[in-house]
Amino acid sequence: IEKSLAVDNIFVFLMIFTYFAVPPEYQKRVLMIGILGAIVLRTVMILIGGWLLSQFHWILYVFGAFLVLTGVKMWWAAGKEPALDDNPALKLLRRLMPVSKHYDGEKFFTIENGKRIATPLLMVIALVGVTDVIFAVDSIPAIFAITRDPFIVLTSNVFAILGLRAMFFLLQAVASKFHLLNYGLAVILVFIGTKMMLI
């Protein structure tokens, strides 16, 4: 389940890289930093989720309802071209920091007109991190539907994330062939969410 839900991340990463025209030689570094950040953030989220489930059993039904809602929303949005310009996270990041229009090697900051500003590479890494947290919100409750053991939840997430980098470069050239992927993921999420609410 974690691996199948992680596949969706790849297409979002590809969309971000295409939008920011990230040169291929920088993509490996961005993915590595993004993956390390995702492991740290997901570990925190899993520990909080495990604690909440141990204290409040009813939160399982909230997770289940959220998964069903996410699945329905994903089905509805499948097939539509996502617009990165409308992404609230991207709008917020642009408001928080001035960004250069040009890359400066693998640097995250550069000097323009005597001012230190962010390069597009920093924006890409921040957006990859934010995107992964959003995806974790549905994948973590999904695995809690199968097991309540935080160790299994954490390791399944870590192994799914670690495989993302290799899968990205494997699927990058054939991304257009997976046009039905979101429908399949939507069905999985609705099924798991329904199962959680029936426990």
Side-chain angles (χ1 to χ4, degrees):
I1 283 173
E2 285 299 331
K3 202 70 170 175
S4 64
L5 291 172
V7 171
D8 208 27
N9 287 33
I10 291 170
F11 299 100
V12 175
F13 294 167
L14 187 58
M15 184 180 73
I16 293 168
F17 287 169
T18 305
Y19 180 84
F20 284 97
V22 181
E25 61 269 25
Y26 305 155
Q27 291 180 8
K28 289 179 183 177
R29 187 178 186 208
V30 170
L31 284 172
M32 184 54 70
I33 293 170
I35 285 165
L36 291 173
I39 289 171
V40 172
L41 290 169
R42 286 192 182 213
T43 301
V44 172
M45 291 173 75
I46 287 164
L47 292 173
I48 292 170
W51 179 80
L52 285 171
L53 281 174
S54 67
Q55 300 297 313
F56 314 102
H57 177 75
W58 55 266
I59 210 157
L60 205 62
Y61 303 111
V62 176
F63 282 171
F66 177 76
L67 287 179
V68 171
L69 188 66
T70 305
V72 170
K73 191 176 174 186
M74 189 179 280
W75 182 282
W76 187 261
K80 295 176 183 173
E81 194 66 36
L84 204 57
D85 280 324
D86 299 330
N87 188 299
L90 182 58
K91 287 179 179 176
L92 178 65
L93 287 169
R94 280 187 170 150
R95 255 191 241 125
L96 291 175
M97 56 182 155
V99 182
S100 169
K101 291 182 179 177
H102 309 286
Y103 289 94
D104 187 7
E106 291 190 347
K107 294 178 182 174
F108 297 135
F109 292 96
T110 188
I111 306 293
E112 275 188 14
N113 302 322
K115 290 184 179 178
R116 191 166 181 260
I117 62 171
T119 65
L121 204 62
L122 182 66
M123 185 74 77
V124 170
I125 286 176
L127 206 54
V128 163
V130 169
T131 303
D132 187 74
V133 169
I134 293 165
F135 276 101
V137 171
D138 59 30
S139 71
I140 290 172
I143 205 72
F144 270 120
I146 297 166
T147 177
R148 309 281 178 81
D149 187 336
F151 176 75
I152 296 173
V153 176
L154 178 61
T155 50
S156 67
N157 264 271
V158 168
F159 286 128
I161 292 166
L162 288 175
L164 274 182
R165 189 168 176 260
M167 281 178 69
F168 176 82
F169 293 106
L170 178 71
L171 300 177
Q172 187 176 19
V174 291
S176 59
K177 306 275 185 195
F178 291 83
H179 57 279
L180 297 176
L181 177 71
N182 281 347
Y183 293 109
L185 293 177
V187 170
I188 291 170
L189 287 176
V190 170
F191 173 76
I192 297 166
T194 306
K195 175 185 175 291
M196 285 178 90
M197 290 190 290
L198 293 174
I199 290 175

